[in-house]
Amino acid sequence: MDEATNQTKGFAFIEYMTPQEALNACDKTHGYKLDKSHTFAVNMFDDFDKYDKVPDEYVAPEVKPYQPT
């Protein structure tokens, strides 16, 4: 609970006994509609490195010309 706002911080960490249990829970709960305004989002703990390394400024990807194979 955020003491300044008296609201939840909006996240939780859940630990599972096996990686398979964690994947199953993620598959079954990610995208679950909690109410009209809120959808449950699930991220695996391993994904945090990926999200932490997002650059501050957008860099457009290089556009490669189409070459049929």
Side-chain angles (χ1 to χ4, degrees):
M1 214 43 152
D2 185 333
E3 293 176 8
T5 64
N6 205 30
Q7 294 185 350
T8 63
K9 294 186 178 186
F11 59 87
F13 294 95
I14 302 173
E15 199 171 332
Y16 291 92
M17 296 297 288
T18 67
Q20 189 59 45
E21 287 178 347
L23 288 172
N24 288 342
C26 182
D27 289 343
K28 291 181 180 184
T29 58
H30 183 71
Y32 180 81
K33 295 234 182 240
L34 298 170
D35 58 29
K36 290 182 181 179
S37 309
H38 299 89
T39 302
F40 197 70
V42 178
N43 294 300
M44 299 297 285
F45 193 76
D46 295 343
D47 291 340
F48 281 91
D49 284 337
K50 175 176 66 175
Y51 296 125
D52 187 43
K53 294 178 181 163
V54 173
D56 291 333
E57 292 187 25
Y58 175 74
V59 176
E62 177 186 340
V63 177
K64 297 178 182 177
Y66 174 71
Q67 296 181 358
T69 55

